[in-house]
DNA sequence: ACTGATTACGCAGTACGTAATTATA
DNA sequence: TATAATTACGTACTGCGTAATCAGT
């Protein structure tokens, strides 16, 4: 049983059981993949895929049962390499950070700044996505750490660190009716709204608050990031509901901010990584900085 | 990075860092081991052992950090093989059972009997040892399941199943003064006692009960198994304190049993296996039978 | 016809063994 | 001196690539 044979199996599962495609990803020719797969099946004494003629049609139950163990093995191997890298030189390496636009733009800059000062030689890679994608990146080990607001606590195979709590706020142009007077959800619901798409930054909490009062909202427009929402609010498309901290920015030219913390429960921004992952020392420290800056923000 | 290179590292650590010895265990010559070790060190970019001239003197911190991950990897590989074996034929294989003498003799026979009827083709290997050794065997994966009374619940990397509770009892020859009259710990402490050695079958509970009353005991004789204790009790060496269920045996010829459940807290016999181990279907069922028979005993 | 998988065969890299060398107890 | 580790070199094996064959869309 060879490491590459087992990895091959995962690659096949992730590429529609296409041997040719798997071969490309592993930088070998099809015949090599075909043979290694046969050898592995022979060693295990059972087929890993049901064939339709010569094509792979579906994974066998055995194959699926094995897949999880291969994940464990790959993680162990990556950890071994990480441990060695850390012992060799704990100040170099890369940090693959998966996060959402809002966190990347409004929370992380100061964190990254402090981190870069301490570890100038660590290459930082940003990956953006929705929270579900971020979790997926962690599981596939394409990212080391994820930072976002939703979804993270629910996964028992992730270790999470609370960074900070925040609330939502309303942004409107000065001439908008909601710019003045007492705010209520009932009043707000009368106007077109712009906010985040589902799965992002507390969108469900917004939804639930309105629904709890049986209010129908006119969410004209939903985006993944605050900047887009702001732009359209400026253009007069309606009132925006955004993460409050996303307002602390120079480019708000003229928009008014109104607190909405009384209407929606606060959200928590969280950092996470996979449970049995070995954290190189600079990753460990990155998490520490994240949490520290989170506390400063509160 | 090759599987065998990583396994080699564990073998070295388990054999006093002796390359020649490791070579024997891996069925290759010394030079092969030496070279593979060098290659691994080269790939990791750091030495795994500090050398004293040409001999390995001590593992580096890196080496120790890596060792745990290698365990995970080996476990994953063993699980893969086990899954495949299970899919190929779930009725054959081996069951490596680590247990103490008392459990092997008085609790397990009926369990083994039922199991063998269902799985006549599974080879059963018994390993005996003290509870600490049993745990060690699980960790080194030299045994699949351990059954004993102590030590198991405290290990968070083991999954445990309660089998049954039991109490201690006193055995004496008919002519012994303790054969008659009301039993008290004070009275018992006046006579020479025979019981289990430390680390076995509730010995600490016996100790603690006497100490709680500030009684000094004369434990003349301690053994790992009940049979030996019985023999010496018959020879008049003193009174024996044994697991009560160990009396249900033909060969007690003449010894008297007196219940002691009021003096010592009951003990629990438990089955355990390592947390992330894949259990073949017959192992799963073996555990079920263990628990079932445990309940019958209560 | 075209895409995709298997089989056959030659070549290259890797790992082992034997043996010589060097170092330690 | 005996034991243990490294280095050198020849050999066998394993895994890849090219190419031909076979099967499905």
């Amino acid at each position: 049983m060879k490491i590459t044979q087992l990895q091959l199996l995962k690659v096949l599962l992730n590429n529609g059981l296409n041997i040719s495609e798997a071969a490309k990803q592993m930088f070998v020719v099809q015949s090599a993949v075909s043979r290694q797969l046969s050898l592995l099946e022979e060693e295990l004494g059972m087929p890993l895929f049901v064939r339709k003629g010569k094509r792979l049609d579906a994974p066998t139950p055995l194959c699926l049962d094995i897949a999880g163990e291969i994940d464990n093995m790959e993680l162990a191997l990556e950890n071994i390499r990480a441990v060695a890298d850390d012992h060799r030189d704990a100040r170099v390496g890369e940090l693959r950070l998966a996060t959402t636009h809002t966190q990347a733009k409004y929370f992380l800059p100061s964190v990254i700044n402090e981190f870069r000062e301490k570890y100038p030689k660590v290459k930082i890679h940003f990956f953006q996505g929705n929270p579900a994608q971020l979790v997926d990146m962690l599981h596939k080990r394409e990212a080391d750490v994820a930072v976002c607001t939703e979804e993270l606590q629910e996964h028992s195979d992730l270790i999470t660190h609370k960074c900070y709590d925040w609330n939502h706020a309303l942004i409107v142009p000065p001439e908008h009716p909601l710019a003045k007077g007492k705010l209520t959800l009932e009043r707000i619901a009368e106007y077109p709204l712009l906010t985040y798409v589902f799965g992002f930054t507390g969108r469900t909490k917004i939804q639930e608050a309105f629904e709890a009062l049986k209010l129908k909202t006119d969410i004209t427009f939903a985006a993944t990031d605050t900047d887009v929402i702001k732009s359209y609010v400026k253009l007069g498309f309606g009132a925006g509901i955004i993460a409050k901290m996303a307002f602390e920015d120079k480019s708000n030219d003229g928009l008014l901010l109104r607190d909405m913390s009384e209407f929606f429960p606060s959200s928590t921004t969280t950092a996470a990584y996979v449970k049995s992952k070995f954290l190189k020392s600079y990753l460990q420290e990155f998490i520490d900085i994240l949490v520290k800056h989170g506390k400063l923000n509160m």
Side-chain angles (χ1 to χ4, degrees), chain A:
Chain A
M1 197 148 36
K2 300 278 156 52
I3 292 172
T4 50
Q5 293 175 334
L6 297 171
Q7 287 172 330
L8 160 63
L9 207 155
K10 291 252 25 168
V11 173
L12 278 171
L13 288 173
N14 290 332
N15 289 282
L17 315 190
N18 184 321
I19 289 190
S20 307
E21 184 54 36
K24 273 180 204 158
Q25 285 201 29
M26 302 197 65
F27 305 105
V28 289
V29 297
Q30 299 92 326
S31 70
V33 170
S34 176
R35 202 164 340 101
Q36 291 308 320
L37 177 59
S38 305
L39 287 172
L40 181 57
E41 288 181 317
E42 191 184 334
E43 183 168 354
L44 296 177
M46 291 276 290
L48 289 163
F49 297 95
V50 289
R51 264 80 167 178
K52 202 172 202 167
K54 286 203 171 185
R55 316 239 165 155
L56 308 189
D57 189 45
T60 60
L62 166 63
C63 183
L64 298 174
D65 286 351
I66 281 180
E69 296 295 341
I70 296 178
D71 271 335
N72 294 338
M73 185 206 66
E74 287 189 315
L75 179 61
L77 292 178
E78 285 166 26
N79 281 350
I80 288 170
R81 276 186 262 268
V83 170
D85 290 347
D86 206 47
H87 277 270
R88 200 172 44 236
D89 185 349
R91 318 210 139 262
V92 303
E94 58 179 27
L95 189 166
R96 298 168 305 166
L97 182 56
T99 187
T100 56
H101 176 89
T102 308
Q103 303 306 327
K105 181 148 185 198
Y106 297 98
F107 171 48
L108 292 172
S110 68
V111 177
I112 300 288
N113 248 329
E114 179 172 341
F115 179 77
R116 292 225 59 180
E117 270 177 35
K118 277 204 175 172
Y119 295 98
K121 287 185 178 171
V122 173
K123 289 185 184 165
I124 300 173
H125 300 272
F126 266 86
F127 295 96
Q128 285 191 24
N130 64 45
Q133 290 171 324
L134 304 185
V135 170
D136 208 45
M137 284 182 191
L138 289 181
H139 283 147
K140 286 186 181 160
R141 298 187 303 286
E142 295 168 357
D144 301 303
V145 182
V147 177
C148 74
T149 296
E150 328 250 351
E151 295 249 6
L152 294 179
Q153 286 90 347
E154 295 141 32
H155 295 263
S156 61
D157 50 351
L158 298 182
I159 292 180
T160 59
H161 293 267
K162 273 186 63 169
C163 292
Y164 63 99
D165 295 324
W166 52 268
N167 290 289
H168 286 91
L170 190 78
I171 48 171
V172 284
E175 64 275 13
H176 195 284
L178 289 174
K180 288 176 186 162
K182 184 170 160 43
L183 284 182
T184 63
L185 284 185
E186 286 81 358
R187 229 188 119 203
I188 294 169
E190 290 171 17
Y191 299 92
L193 295 176
L194 294 81
T195 191
Y196 302 108
V197 297
F198 283 107
F200 262 89
T201 348
R203 161 70 187 250
T204 46
K205 290 182 178 172
I206 297 173
Q207 201 81 6
E208 284 162 7
F210 282 108
E211 280 171 5
L213 298 178
K214 311 252 185 229
L215 292 171
K216 282 198 180 160
T217 50
D218 172 17
I219 299 189
T220 326
F221 187 102
T224 57
D225 69 84
T226 317
D227 293 349
V228 176
I229 296 172
K230 280 183 193 169
S231 306
Y232 283 80
V233 169
K234 280 181 210 161
L235 293 173
F237 276 66
I241 300 176
I242 62 167
K244 192 176 172 187
M245 78 252 181
F247 192 75
E248 328 293 350
D249 191 39
K250 274 84 192 171
S251 66
N252 293 317
D253 27 32
L255 291 182
L256 290 179
L257 181 83
R258 306 205 60 181
D259 188 87
M260 296 193 78
S261 46
E262 54 180 314
F263 301 120
F264 311 120
S266 67
S267 299
T268 305
T269 289
T270 309
Y273 54 91
V274 298
K275 206 168 213 162
S276 38
K277 179 184 177 68
F278 167 75
L279 284 197
K280 294 198 205 177
S281 41
Y282 62 78
L283 285 176
Q284 193 70 257
E285 186 146 354
F286 180 73
I287 305 268
D288 292 344
I289 298 176
L290 270 176
V291 172
K292 190 182 78 181
H293 280 243
K295 285 186 181 152
L296 294 179
N297 273 23
M298 287 177 63

